[in-house]
Amino acid sequence: MDRPVITGLSALRRFARVMIILSIEACAMAHANNPTSDLEDSVCGIVREPLAFWQFRQAAGAPDASRIRSIPNIERLSFTTRDGRELGGYKLRADHPQGYLLVAQGNAMLADQIMGVLSFFRDYGLDVYVYDYRGYGLSEGKSRLKAMVSDYREIVAALNAQGYGRRYLYGMSMGGVILTNAIGPSEDYDALVLDSPPSRISGLGCPEDYDPVRNLPQDGARLMLIIGLKDRVVPPGDIEELSQILEQRGGRVLKSPEFAHPLMDLDPIIRRRRLQSVADFLVR
């Protein structure tokens, strides 16, 4: 009596496995037949990476222009990448800009959600630039790590070509991973703040070449790393290797018992203290 049921379940499991394999092969063939979007190939697993970014995009939600409506001197941005994707974002204009600040936000954030907080930096004479990641919010394309790194390499080069006197970068969480990869050993910036990025992402199935610890410059004097000892998203232990290497190379490490994950400090006084620490390092 039980045998037909067991046989039926086994057949269903085999069918499910076949469908998963066929789906993976179909995705691989789609990538192979589309050479114009090679930047959007997955490097962290053909299933794992698209699924992870889908989850982050769902958490980020949809763009909402009403969030930035009351912010003075803000303008909509558009940037076209080398593979033809249009990235959308915002710029906060300083009255007399002395430099720019490019912010790479966390993986589940949109630009319009954080522009109000980032207006803090405009008071330091900085034009503040924030883009939605590829595939998020206002931006076209497929959300893939290789493509995002390429996008920020291009954006930095474009901003540097505008003739700003000072060139500053601020990467929060996954944004720190993206910026360390986009910048690498170059000297095309004056200061970079990494706020709570993991030391490595190879444990998530990504190539070791993308690990932040492998992309730090030999001279770390222009870098600051922030570690929040209350961080439950990227625990301090996941940042410790990065901290040790950066200190050995002359970088600054700020470990705060007050801080949680970037933009997750509940106390507005502590949140402002964190932003102040970033500003003080950038414009020192």
Side-chain angles (χ1 to χ4, degrees), residues 7 10 15-16 20 29 36 82 86 90 94 128 157 169 184 194 226 235:
T7 302
S10 298
F15 176 76
I20 291 172
M29 290 177 63
T36 59
R82 65 183 176 88
E86 184 175 321
Y90 295 96
V128 182
L169 307 171
L194 303 174
I226 297 177

Side-chain angles (χ1 to χ4, degrees), residues 194-217:
L194 303 174
D195 196 341
S196 309
S199 300
R200 296 182 180 272
I201 57 172
S202 51
L204 302 175
C206 302
E208 290 185 354
D209 288 346
Y210 286 91
D211 286 340
V213 291
R214 299 189 62 160
N215 287 281
L216 292 176

Side-chain angles (χ1 to χ4, degrees), residues 16 21 25 43 57 86 96 135 138 162 176 179 189 205 208 212-213 221 227 229 233 235 239 254 266 268 272:
I21 293 170
E25 290 178 347
V43 295
R57 289 197 306 273
E86 184 175 321
H96 304 287
L138 302 173
Q162 294 187 29
L179 287 180
Y189 62 98
E208 290 185 354
V213 291
I227 301 174
L229 299 183
V233 179
I239 315 175
L254 171 61
L266 298 180
R272 183 177 181 86

Side-chain angles (χ1 to χ4, degrees), residues 16 23 29 32 73 95 107 128 147 177 201 212 218 223 278:
S23 297
M29 290 177 63
N73 298 326
D95 291 336
N107 218 350
V128 182
V177 176
I201 57 172
Q218 289 302 312
L223 275 68
V278 174

